[in-house]
Amino acid sequence: MRPILAAFIVLLAPFETVATAQEAPSDEFKRRAALWLESAESSKRQAAYLSYMQLGAEAMPMFQAALHKAARAHNQRIDHLAGDSANPYAAHHDLARQLDDERERITPLIHTDWKKDPDKIRMLREEMDDLGRLHERTMKIAGANTTSFDAQVDGSVSALFEIARQLERFEADRDSAGKDDDELRAFVLEDNIEGQLLIKQRERFRGSRREIDAHAAATKANTEAGRWASAPMRDFAALLNLQRSWLGLEPYLLEEKLCAAALGHSNDMASLGFFSHTSPIPEKASPGQRATLAGFQGGWSGENIFMGSASHTAAFDGWFGSDGHRFIMFASGPNRIGVGPSGKHWTMMTGKQ
């Protein structure tokens, strides 16, 4: 009994100074305990639960009513948080929906054979540039620190969870009775209309965070690749991965063996004076043979070749304007890339591991 009595005394002490002559301290205490059930502070709620138990059976109807009132207050707090201008998920969600719609609209354009029509390619570049700006704005908001906001939401969810468990004392047929703790925590948020919206907003926000993390991880891996990875290889991969991220595509990781196969083919084209996917060297005749000969363990999937500039942006732009080459750069299946720059010759190979 000693811990329960201590909680009662802590609550009661401040109330003795505000009770009127016509009102017993216990009445003021009951009102104040009911308010503490509505508090965002867990310690106050816990003290209130224990103190109601100390008051005995005659206080139970008041306790039950106070629990219902507190549940309404915490649900209203969730409503307020969802509609607050400081809700980072809402601001992101509006932009993310636009981004999703634009990705869905532009992706088929990327994979359309425009027969290298200059006007169509120019249109496609403008569409991608606009998409890139929308992507940048969306991901900037997705990078916001949500710790404080999440704490407020989670605090209200915890309060509703606790209250639901307390109400099971009086209402055995409550929906909460058949749920474990994790299920109940999810349910109390889903049971709130604004809470349902928050769940959708937060999940889409986390989707953007996953995209940011995947892109950052690929950038780090490509930047820290071994000495075999030259600066032009890294620069090309960074440019391609940036634009793939605009479309929501998985980033490519530079792969040593695939880069070796690509570089070997560029070197062969430069030294032997040919420009073709078919090499005059028998054991390197096809891209698949070159990938296997270099020791690539995954599945080879595509190859682009370019000649005319040592610039990685020139190679990218050349392939972007050529429909089949663009399809390979923006394919959704591969996750590895080999880049082989040799003077003004470039070879790019894709594969899956």
Side-chain angles (χ1 to χ4, degrees):
M1 286 298 293
R2 190 166 296 172
I4 296 177
L5 180 58
F8 178 81
I9 293 172
V10 168
L11 280 173
L12 183 57
F15 308 144
E16 294 176 342
T17 60
V18 295
T20 65
Q22 291 79 27
E23 162 176 88
S26 61
D27 293 331
E28 171 64 13
F29 160 73
K30 292 172 185 176
R31 279 202 307 272
R32 191 64 63 89
L35 289 175
W36 280 27
L37 289 176
E38 301 176 19
S39 174
E41 296 181 30
S42 176
S43 59
K44 289 185 178 180
R45 297 194 305 271
Q46 297 302 323
Y49 302 142
L50 293 172
S51 298
Y52 269 113
M53 293 300 98
Q54 176 68 18
L55 290 173
E58 65 178 29
M60 290 302 98
M62 179 182 292
F63 184 27
Q64 184 179 7
L67 287 169
H68 280 291
K69 184 172 181 294
R72 290 192 294 272
H74 290 293
N75 272 305
Q76 289 170 359
R77 187 170 289 116
I78 290 175
D79 292 345
H80 174 74
L81 288 169
D84 195 330
S85 60
N87 174 2
Y89 301 130
H92 167 269
H93 197 252
D94 291 341
L95 282 176
R97 284 191 300 177
Q98 295 179 46
L99 180 62
D100 292 340
D101 290 344
E102 286 299 278
R103 283 172 167 175
E104 185 175 356
R105 183 180 67 83
I106 294 173
T107 295
L109 302 181
I110 286 288
H111 294 285
T112 296
D113 188 348
W114 299 110
K115 310 299 181 184
K116 300 183 182 179
D117 183 325
D119 292 335
K120 296 296 186 182
I121 299 304
R122 183 166 48 252
M123 171 275 295
L124 194 56
R125 292 183 192 279
E126 291 172 354
E127 292 280 12
M128 284 292 285
D129 288 343
D130 289 342
L131 182 65
R133 285 187 283 271
L134 177 59
H135 178 270
E136 183 179 8
R137 291 164 56 204
T138 305
M139 297 304 156
K140 183 177 180 180
I141 295 178
N145 187 333
T146 63
T147 302
S148 176
F149 185 81
D150 287 337
Q152 294 180 69
V153 174
D154 293 342
S156 293
V157 169
S158 293
L160 288 168
F161 165 82
E162 295 165 9
I163 289 168
R165 288 297 189 224
Q166 291 292 335
L167 282 169
E168 290 171 7
R169 298 172 182 270
F170 311 103
E171 303 162 15
D173 59 346
R174 289 182 60 82
D175 292 337
S176 62
K179 294 178 171 60
D180 64 29
D181 288 356
D182 290 338
E183 291 171 337
L184 181 54
R185 286 183 183 278
F187 173 77
V188 296
L189 191 56
E190 293 170 357
D191 196 42
N192 178 290
I193 293 176
E194 295 298 330
Q196 294 174 20
L197 178 59
L198 267 178
I199 291 172
K200 293 179 181 178
Q201 292 174 343
R202 184 157 62 179
E203 181 51 40
R204 183 60 187 84
F205 188 95
R206 289 172 175 171
S208 289
R209 280 281 182 84
R210 288 191 290 271
E211 287 187 36
I212 292 172
D213 291 344
H215 183 74
T219 299
K220 184 175 187 294
N222 289 341
T223 300
E224 297 177 355
R227 296 176 62 183
W228 55 267
S230 67
M233 290 179 182
R234 294 187 178 99
D235 291 342
F236 181 87
L239 176 58
L240 178 54
N241 278 341
L242 174 62
Q243 297 206 21
R244 284 175 64 84
S245 73
W246 297 350
L247 291 164
L249 294 171
E250 182 180 6
Y252 283 138
L253 293 178
L254 286 169
E255 205 285 325
E256 182 177 5
K257 303 302 183 182
L258 210 52
C259 283
L263 181 58
H265 189 57
S266 293
N267 286 334
D268 291 342
M269 287 192 294
S271 62
L272 299 178
F274 73 96
F275 183 72
S276 172
H277 291 289
T278 302
S279 173
I281 302 173
E283 64 271 21
K284 296 182 178 181
S286 70
Q289 286 177 296
R290 294 191 285 273
T292 300
L293 186 63
F296 179 59
Q297 297 298 312
W300 167 84
S301 59
E303 180 183 79
N304 288 344
I305 56 175
F306 172 83
M307 180 179 67
S309 174
S311 166
H312 71 280
T313 57
F316 178 89
D317 290 343
W319 289 329
F320 187 92
S322 179
D323 302 305
H325 299 87
R326 185 177 61 252
F327 300 165
I328 290 174
M329 288 202 299
F330 292 98
S332 60
N335 59 8
R336 297 294 189 275
I337 187 173
V339 183
S342 178
K344 296 183 178 182
H345 287 78
W346 287 77
T347 301
M348 168 192 149
M349 302 182 77
T350 56
K352 179 79 173 181
Q353 277 188 345

